[in-house]
Amino acid sequence: MSDVESLWQALDEQLLPLLRRYRRNLASLQIDTKPDNTLLSEADLATQTAIIETIGRHFPGSRFVAEEDEAELPSSGEPTWIIDPIDGTSEFVATDGREFCSVVCLLKDGRPSAAYVLAPELGVDRAPITIHWSAEVTVNGQTAEPLSPSTSPRRASVTRSKDAAARKFEIDLADIGCIMKTRTTSQTLDMVRTCIDLSAWTQAPEVQFDLFYRPNQKVWDGAAGIGLATAMGRTATDGRGISPLPLGQDFLNQREPVFPETIVGDPDCVRLLVELLAESRSG
């Protein structure tokens, strides 16, 4: 077993009972609103602390790029870990929510080289789904199954603000029969659904995507998804079809590193969306 896989298993043991404990006590959960109008709960902070402490025991001297960086985290050292303690906090704090996960991404030379995703209630009967990527990508311990290719997008995640109007490329995608999800939940889980077939665990084959698009995506919302997508043979680019990798030090040193645009999915579908975005800009 690799050192990284040992870490992933340790995170499973630490995080699943922690997240379940907070979910059982939502009525007393302390929740604040951050300046960007996203939610921050005490569960986010506790989960991030647990992740960092667990990584520190396995990989002393590590550097962390983390969403809830109110405390000063080590800004130098190797290796570098990107952390989103709870991606989809609005789902986490809702009693009927399921679309949330804890996310860790390991960088090597600025490129994702391993990733961890724990979705505690995403499976059938709210069973947990764990995705580990080190030597290979696995789902609940089994080799991950890729999605079938598609020359034209059938479903796409193109989430946006609740009151925002449909963008031109959305209208173009609808014209070719693409069904779109526009409500924001967990960006990581939507990216996972572009590259890994989760239907055996969710029994919801219709909730898979050929495309994911998100403007102004923070690095902790996107790094693991980009890494998993490329590991599974999918494509990840910016809005002009250029790879966002490698991630440079100047980028990672920002307080909130942001990808201007992120596209992930089937290579043919990604090329189509890049063309549609270019037409939107020129028009």
Side-chain angles (χ1 to χ4, degrees), residues 31 87 95 101 108 136 162 177 192 242:
I31 305 169
D87 180 18
T95 55
C101 60
K108 182 177 181 180
E136 65 171 340
K162 181 178 179 181
V192 164
I242 300 171

Side-chain angles (χ1 to χ4, degrees), residues 10 12-13 23 35 100 150 156 163 180 212-213 218 238 281:
D12 285 340
E13 294 171 2
R23 284 283 289 169
F100 58 88
S150 177
D163 298 324
M180 282 166 284
F212 170 92
Y213 171 81
K218 295 172 183 176
D238 65 10
R281 295 187 186 101

Side-chain angles (χ1 to χ4, degrees), residues 126-149:
R126 293 188 175 269
I129 292 178
T130 59
I131 298 170
H132 295 183
W133 170 36
S134 52
E136 65 171 340
V137 181
T138 64
V139 181
N140 288 356
Q142 300 181 31
T143 300
E145 293 292 333
L147 295 176
S148 59

Side-chain angles (χ1 to χ4, degrees), residues 18-19 22-23 26 29-30 40-49 85-86 89 92-93:
L18 176 65
L19 293 168
Y22 279 109
R23 284 283 289 169
L26 288 179
L29 187 68
Q30 181 178 337
L40 171 64
S41 75
E42 60 182 300
D44 291 86
L45 299 175
T47 302
Q48 179 164 296
T49 297
I86 301 178
T89 301
F92 181 85
V93 302

Side-chain angles (χ1 to χ4, degrees), residues 7-8 10-11 48-64 79-83 103-106:
L7 170 62
W8 295 162
L11 287 174
Q48 179 164 296
T49 297
I51 292 171
I52 289 172
E53 290 179 349
T54 303
I55 292 173
R57 288 193 293 270
H58 286 74
F59 293 88
S62 290
R63 174 194 185 190
F64 300 100
T80 297
W81 307 85
I82 298 177
I83 300 168
V103 187
V104 180
C105 180
L106 171 62

Side-chain angles (χ1 to χ4, degrees), residues 178-197:
C178 180
I179 300 170
M180 282 166 284
K181 175 194 175 190
T182 59
R183 175 177 171 265
T184 301
T185 51
S186 162
Q187 294 179 49
T188 299
L189 290 180
D190 281 3
M191 296 172 84
V192 164
R193 288 181 169 114
T194 70
C195 61
I196 298 175
D197 186 351

Side-chain angles (χ1 to χ4, degrees), residues 20-264:
R20 283 175 169 167
R21 185 166 68 248
Y22 279 109
R23 284 283 289 169
R24 286 195 300 268
N25 295 281
L26 288 179
S28 60
L29 187 68
Q30 181 178 337
I31 305 169
D32 297 312
T33 301
K34 295 190 286 188
D36 63 358
N37 290 321
T38 60
L39 300 181
L40 171 64
S41 75
E42 60 182 300
D44 291 86
L45 299 175
T47 302
Q48 179 164 296
T49 297
I51 292 171
I52 289 172
E53 290 179 349
T54 303
I55 292 173
R57 288 193 293 270
H58 286 74
F59 293 88
S62 290
R63 174 194 185 190
F64 300 100
V65 178
E67 179 170 16
E68 314 306 345
D69 190 9
E70 297 305 322
E72 290 192 9
L73 299 174
S75 58
S76 62
E78 287 294 336
T80 297
W81 307 85
I82 298 177
I83 300 168
D84 192 345
I86 301 178
D87 180 18
T89 301
S90 61
E91 284 278 304
F92 181 85
V93 302
T95 55
D96 60 347
R98 300 175 66 174
E99 294 279 330
F100 58 88
C101 60
S102 295
V103 187
V104 180
C105 180
L106 171 62
L107 294 185
K108 182 177 181 180
D109 298 326
R111 298 178 182 274
S113 62
Y116 171 88
V117 180
L118 168 63
E121 299 181 25
L122 189 64
V124 175
D125 296 328
R126 293 188 175 269
I129 292 178
T130 59
I131 298 170
H132 295 183
W133 170 36
S134 52
E136 65 171 340
V137 181
T138 64
V139 181
N140 288 356
Q142 300 181 31
T143 300
E145 293 292 333
L147 295 176
S148 59
S150 177
T151 56
S152 179
R154 297 158 292 192
R155 296 185 63 90
S157 168
V158 293
T159 57
R160 49 181 160 81
S161 300
K162 181 178 179 181
D163 298 324
R167 296 153 290 191
K168 183 179 183 304
F169 74 84
E170 293 180 43
I171 298 170
D172 294 334
L173 289 175
D175 286 343
I176 60 174
C178 180
I179 300 170
M180 282 166 284
K181 175 194 175 190
T182 59
R183 175 177 171 265
T184 301
T185 51
S186 162
Q187 294 179 49
T188 299
L189 290 180
D190 281 3
M191 296 172 84
V192 164
R193 288 181 169 114
T194 70
C195 61
I196 298 175
D197 186 351
L198 296 179
S199 59
W201 290 273
T202 64
Q203 293 186 4
E206 72 280 2
V207 189
Q208 300 278 173
F209 302 113
D210 297 309
L211 267 177
F212 170 92
Y213 171 81
R214 182 76 181 191
N216 302 317
Q217 185 185 46
K218 295 172 183 176
V219 69
W220 37 77
D221 290 323
I226 289 170
L228 287 166
T230 54
M232 294 297 294
R234 302 302 241 191
T235 296
T237 76
D238 65 10
R240 300 181 186 277
I242 300 171
S243 172
L245 305 174
L247 305 181
Q249 291 304 312
D250 289 345
F251 176 76
L252 293 171
N253 287 337
Q254 298 174 30
R255 171 60 193 92
E256 288 192 341
V258 172
F259 300 118
E261 289 177 296
T262 303
I263 306 175
V264 169

